[in-house]
């Protein structure tokens, strides 16, 4: 293979990249970005990689969840707190069910670039560049808003820093104290029958904690803080490159804009620029795997991405769709096993189950999501592999974007609180219900 450098991807075809009118401004912005301090550290990245290696053999479980796409305008305290609360509550439920360490990873602090299926969008006879996420252009449908603007790269980076700064504060302060899960309650009432189950579980756990502390006569050391990692799709290669650095006393290059970047399904070409960029970084890397992926294609990409077959380095996030997972996944698992490739398997039950309603709204059905997840557990069991985690699009907001669940969101409800600019997310009740169902499945 030819020599790798942070910009060697430029010699390959890069799909899903915006076309900037002002190249000089783009270059100046990227130079500026490359000079700003990193958002994460190499030791956090290495720690996550070790934990993902543990998940690959069933000793830990990955909960990767958050927005489909973050927006610059939504970078405010309430939203960050709400999303962290859901992640914490879900991880509590999962840990209680599976008795394993839960690795919390947010789709956050940089999830600003979106792959799109068309280059342009046409409304009432007017055709403009498609919206590619807040780091590229603006959602509003005007000539000016849809022009890719280099300045947005800096705005996105700054918002990512603001988000991460607040998250870090919450994770070490009283908010994250396991003895006070009441701090993580959401402000709105839940109609879900799962709420009582959650409250009872929390009471019993905190009761035991307080009991143990009383008996031992001292507090548990680490219980006042939790660990949360960040992830985003590494789509915008100039942005990712600007954050790719060497660090003292370690070999190799790190992408210091996030702990865990992933390659989207649309940019998985083994000869393409994304795989070229990702093969050179030390971060744990996610790869989306969908129904059109061929077994040989998958093992080839994995061998390029993980030349040293390092455990924890590659997480294969399969998003097959509930109707395809049983026919497509086993061959992929077999191919990877036959080559002794060390990977962590993770189920994304969202992206293969999207459909458009008769009235033109993009949604997903809770039952399909659950069905794909449960099938993922079964398929891995029968193939002798381990499902090491889940990847979800959700929010702590009370939205109505996905139908179904025990609170019965139906197609007519979708217009009530549909806020996502791209993909539909599970709301709080749906997320918690799913956590309980996964926990029950893992317990069984
Ligand atoms: C996503 O995770 O938002 C996404 C676009 O997924 P995929 O690449 O699996 O389609
Ligand atoms: Co999405």
């Amino acid at each position: 293979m030819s020599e790798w450098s942070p910009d060697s991807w430029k010699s390959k075809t890069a799909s899903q990249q915006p076309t900037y009118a002002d190249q000089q401004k783009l270059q100046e912005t990227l130079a500026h970005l490359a000079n700003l301090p990193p958002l994460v550290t190499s030791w956090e990245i290495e720690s996550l990689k070790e934990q993902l290696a543990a998940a690959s053999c069933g000793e830990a479980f990955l909960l990767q969840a958050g927005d489909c796409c973050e927006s610059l305008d939504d970078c405010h305290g309430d939203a960050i707190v709400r999303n962290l609360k859901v992640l914490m509550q879900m991880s509590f439920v999962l840990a209680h069910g599976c008795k394993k360490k839960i690795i919390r990873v947010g789709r956050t602090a940089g999830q600003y670039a979106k792959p799109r299926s068309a280059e342009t969008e046409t409304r009432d006879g007017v055709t403009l560049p498609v919206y590619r996420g807040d780091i590229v252009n603006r959602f509003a449908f005007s000539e000016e808003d849809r022009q890719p603007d280099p300045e947005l790269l800096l705005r996105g980076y700054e918002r990512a820093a603001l988000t991460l700064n607040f998250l870090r504060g919450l994770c070490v302060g009283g908010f994250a104290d396991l003895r006070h899960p009441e701090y993580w309650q959401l402000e709105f009432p839940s109609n879900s029958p799962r709420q009582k189950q959650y409250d009872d579980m929390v009471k019993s756990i905190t009761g035991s904690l307080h009991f143990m502390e009383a008996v031992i006569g001292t507090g548990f050391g680490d219980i006042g803080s939790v660990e949360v990692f960040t992830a985003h799709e590494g789509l915008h290669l100039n942005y990712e490159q600007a954050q790719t650095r060497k660090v003292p006393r370690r070999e190799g290059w790190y992408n210091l804009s996030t702990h865990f970047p992933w390659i989207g399904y649309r940019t998985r070409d083994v000869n393409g620029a994304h795989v070229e960029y990702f093969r050179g970084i030390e971060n744990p890397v996610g790869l989306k795997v969908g129904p059109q992926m061929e077994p040989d294609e998958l093992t080839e990409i994995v061998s390029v991405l993980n030349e040293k077959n390092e455990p924890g380095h590659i997480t294969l996030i399969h998003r097959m769709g509930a109707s395809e997972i049983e026919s497509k996944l086993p061959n992929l698992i077999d191919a990877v096993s036959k080559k002794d490739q060390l990977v962590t398997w993770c189920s994304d039950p969202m992206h293969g189950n999207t459909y458009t309603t008769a009235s033109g709204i993009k949604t997903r059905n809770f039952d399909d999501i659950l069905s794909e997840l449960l099938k993922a557990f079964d398929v891995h069991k029968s193939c002798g592999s381990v499902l090491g985690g889940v990847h979800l699009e959700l929010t702590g907001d009370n939205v109505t974007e996905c139908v179904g669940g025990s609170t019965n969101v139906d197609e007519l409800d979708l217009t009530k609180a549909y806020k996502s600019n791209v993909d539909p997310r599970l709301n709080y009740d749906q997320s918690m219900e799913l956590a309980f169902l996964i926990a029950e499945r893992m317990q069984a």
Side-chain angles (χ1 to χ4, degrees):
M1 233 177 292
S2 57
E3 190 143 351
W4 185 90
S5 63
D7 69 351
S8 57
W9 62 269
K10 288 185 174 163
S11 66
K12 311 267 180 170
T13 305
S15 55
Q16 298 284 343
Q17 306 303 294
T19 311
Y20 291 92
D22 188 342
Q23 281 297 314
Q24 191 184 336
K25 177 142 186 244
L26 174 66
Q27 294 313 324
E28 283 164 12
T29 310
L30 293 172
H32 187 168
L33 200 54
N35 260 322
L36 292 174
L39 300 184
V40 303
T41 64
S42 61
W43 52 94
E44 292 165 346
I45 290 172
E46 290 298 333
S47 162
L48 174 61
K49 198 157 54 182
E50 257 173 50
Q51 296 183 38
L52 290 170
S56 74
C57 41
E59 288 162 11
F61 192 77
L62 166 67
L63 170 63
Q64 183 174 19
D67 277 320
C68 174
C69 78
E70 292 177 289
S71 86
L72 300 183
D73 287 344
D74 275 352
C75 181
H76 50 77
D78 291 350
I80 295 167
V81 168
R82 267 199 304 271
N83 285 349
L84 180 60
K85 282 177 173 175
V86 186
L87 203 61
M88 300 261 288
Q89 290 192 14
M90 290 178 81
S91 68
F92 218 61
V93 171
L94 291 173
H96 187 248
C98 74
K99 310 283 183 275
K100 286 175 192 174
K101 177 176 177 138
I102 306 300
I103 311 163
R104 298 176 200 85
V105 178
R107 287 176 59 115
T108 190
Q111 175 51 17
Y112 292 119
K114 296 307 298 174
R116 304 313 304 263
S117 36
E119 291 284 320
T120 56
E121 183 184 345
T122 302
R123 288 190 203 173
D124 303 325
V126 180
T127 299
L128 295 176
V130 72
Y131 170 69
R132 291 187 176 277
D134 275 10
I135 208 166
V136 174
N137 56 3
R138 298 173 180 87
F139 187 67
F141 195 74
S142 78
E143 182 80 44
E144 194 193 343
D145 286 310
R146 288 296 173 89
Q147 276 315 311
D149 179 357
E151 203 58 36
L152 293 174
L153 294 165
L154 288 172
R155 296 294 88 77
Y157 187 70
E158 290 153 3
R159 291 294 200 278
L162 294 173
T163 304
L164 191 54
N165 179 58
F166 191 39
L167 272 178
R168 287 186 190 281
L170 291 169
C171 286
V172 296
F175 175 82
D177 194 325
L178 289 179
R179 284 160 303 201
H180 292 285
E182 70 274 15
Y183 297 169
W184 329 333
Q185 291 296 355
L186 280 115
E187 64 277 19
F188 51 81
S190 160
N191 300 319
S192 164
R194 294 290 179 177
Q195 192 62 45
K196 175 152 177 10
Q197 192 179 356
Y198 177 74
D199 293 340
D200 290 347
M201 189 199 80
V202 163
K203 255 185 229 141
S204 120
I205 296 172
T206 40
S208 315
L209 282 176
H210 289 305
F211 171 75
M212 287 299 290
E213 284 188 322
V215 170
I216 300 168
T218 151
F220 296 108
D222 245 3
I223 212 162
S225 66
V226 294
E227 209 173 17
V228 174
F229 297 100
T230 62
H232 67 245
E233 177 168 350
L235 184 71
H236 194 300
L237 290 173
N238 272 312
Y239 179 83
E240 305 301 331
Q241 183 198 324
Q243 294 302 323
T244 304
R245 320 253 167 106
K246 287 250 192 202
V247 299
R249 292 175 298 282
R250 283 190 207 275
E251 297 278 310
W253 294 82
Y254 287 82
N255 181 331
L256 297 177
S257 73
T258 186
H259 300 110
F260 188 16
W262 76 83
I263 304 177
Y265 186 48
R266 293 174 181 79
T267 49
R268 68 184 193 274
D269 179 5
V270 69
N271 297 311
H274 289 81
V275 170
E276 172 61 20
Y277 168 76
F278 274 85
R279 81 178 169 93
I281 57 172
E282 300 295 326
N283 303 57
V285 164
L287 174 71
K288 292 289 199 98
V289 177
Q292 278 91 41
M293 187 88 107
E294 294 296 331
D296 288 349
E297 181 192 359
L298 177 59
T299 54
E300 196 186 349
I301 301 172
V302 171
S303 72
V304 170
L305 290 175
N306 197 15
E307 221 183 339
K308 289 181 264 172
N309 207 20
E310 181 190 16
H313 192 42
I314 303 296
T315 297
L316 299 180
I317 307 168
H318 45 77
R319 27 86 86 222
M320 298 290 168
S323 60
E324 303 228 60
I325 181 167
E326 290 167 308
S327 61
K328 301 283 170 68
L329 187 56
N331 290 339
L332 297 170
I333 296 175
D334 283 348
V336 168
S337 307
K338 281 208 184 86
K339 298 234 169 215
D340 291 320
Q341 290 178 325
L342 298 175
V343 301
T344 306
W345 292 100
C346 175
S347 167
D348 165 357
M350 312 298 295
H351 288 88
N353 294 309
T354 317
Y355 69 93
T356 304
T357 64
S359 52
I361 304 173
K362 216 174 172 191
T363 189
R364 293 161 173 155
N365 190 315
F366 184 88
D367 291 339
D368 296 335
I369 294 168
L370 177 63
S371 159
E372 175 160 358
L373 255 177
L374 297 179
K375 286 175 183 173
F377 279 103
D378 294 342
V379 168
H380 280 287
K381 186 154 189 258
S382 67
C383 292
S385 46
V386 173
L387 182 65
V390 293
H391 180 116
L392 304 168
E393 285 185 343
L394 55 79
T395 169
D397 222 343
N398 222 346
V399 299
T400 54
E401 297 172 5
C402 292
V403 296
S406 59
T407 53
N408 280 321
V409 178
D410 63 26
E411 289 196 0
L412 290 174
D413 293 324
L414 290 177
T415 50
K416 286 187 188 155
Y418 199 108
K419 298 185 189 160
S420 175
N421 283 345
V422 184
D423 286 340
R425 301 159 297 174
L426 296 167
N427 64 21
Y428 170 69
D429 285 332
Q430 292 166 330
S431 303
M432 291 304 287
E433 184 171 4
L434 200 63
F436 273 105
L437 293 166
I438 299 169
E440 281 159 22
R441 175 62 179 77
M442 285 199 284
Q443 227 164 356

